[in-house]
Amino acid sequence: MPRAAARPSAIAQTMSDWPRCMSPAANTPGTLVIQFATFFDGITAVMVVVVAFVALMVLVYSMGYMHGEPRYGWYFAVISLFAGAMLLLVTSGNLIFTYLAWEGVGLTSFLLIGFYWERQSAAEAAKKAFVTTRVGDVGFLIGIILLWRASGTFDIQGIIGVAEARGF
């Protein structure tokens, strides 16, 4: 059975290349260049809509639920950062950007779980979530390093291309 055709570039394209993290000697061979890029295709569009819709519903519900709280503004700042980190996560074009967005989700989760930090149960739950996500983060980072070593790139589409070329 023949392989599926390559993804059409008109639908799946890099929307923006952020400034490169590099030195002036970045064009020399053997220099690691990391581009922070976003990627947008059909699946990304669906996930952006899902994340934005769920975030909107949480924010609307929270307006009534959190009404009268002394840290009302802090809650909405953190929940907005959480939604932003989730949007970055689903639109990231490379694994470094994905990891940074994942860390943003983890940090804001910790802050949201520990919102009522003066309560012992909330403080303990926040600590437990923090430790659990750090363990998962180490596994994620090891996976990113293994993928980079196998493919030579952090770019997600590049990794997919290498995997397809090698018959995976």
Side-chain angles (χ1 to χ4, degrees), residues 89-122:
L89 186 64
V90 300
T91 60
S92 63
N94 71 40
L95 294 177
I96 300 298
F97 201 30
T98 302
Y99 187 77
L100 293 175
W102 182 258
E103 287 299 319
V105 169
L107 173 64
T108 54
S109 294
F110 167 74
L111 293 172
L112 288 168
I113 293 168
F115 179 75
Y116 293 110
W117 53 268
E118 61 277 355
R119 296 180 188 167
Q120 182 69 22
S121 61

Side-chain angles (χ1 to χ4, degrees), residues 9 24 30 37-38 45 47 55-56 58 83 99 105 120 129 137 140-141 159 162 164:
S9 61
T38 56
M47 290 308 299
L56 175 67
V58 169
Y99 187 77
V105 169
Q120 182 69 22
D137 292 347
F140 188 27
L141 187 58
I159 293 169
V162 168
E164 288 175 348

Side-chain angles (χ1 to χ4, degrees), residues 3-164:
R3 288 192 175 273
R7 292 173 190 78
S9 61
I11 295 173
Q13 55 185 307
T14 300
M15 298 300 288
S16 66
D17 286 325
W18 290 24
R20 295 177 181 213
C21 297
M22 61 183 171
S23 67
N27 293 329
T28 59
T31 303
L32 176 64
V33 177
I34 300 172
Q35 286 184 296
F36 291 96
T38 56
F39 184 79
F40 203 87
D41 62 357
I43 295 171
T44 306
V46 170
M47 290 308 299
V48 165
V49 169
V50 168
V51 169
F53 179 74
V54 170
L56 175 67
M57 293 296 103
V58 169
L59 288 169
V60 168
Y61 178 79
S62 295
M63 287 173 59
Y65 186 80
M66 300 300 287
H67 184 72
E69 285 290 328
R71 296 187 307 263
Y72 188 78
W74 170 252
Y75 172 80
F76 279 96
V78 175
I79 197 81
S80 296
L81 284 172
F82 179 85
M86 286 297 294
L87 287 170
L88 287 174
L89 186 64
V90 300
T91 60
S92 63
N94 71 40
L95 294 177
I96 300 298
F97 201 30
T98 302
Y99 187 77
L100 293 175
W102 182 258
E103 287 299 319
V105 169
L107 173 64
T108 54
S109 294
F110 167 74
L111 293 172
L112 288 168
I113 293 168
F115 179 75
Y116 293 110
W117 53 268
E118 61 277 355
R119 296 180 188 167
Q120 182 69 22
S121 61
E124 288 176 10
K127 285 183 219 172
K128 183 188 246 183
F130 184 79
V131 170
T132 302
T133 56
R134 293 295 73 81
V135 171
D137 292 347
V138 170
F140 188 27
L141 187 58
I142 290 169
I144 288 171
I145 292 168
L146 291 174
L147 284 170
W148 171 67
R149 296 275 309 194
S151 66
T153 183
F154 289 109
D155 181 66
I156 294 171
Q157 297 307 308
I159 293 169
I160 291 170
V162 168
E164 288 175 348

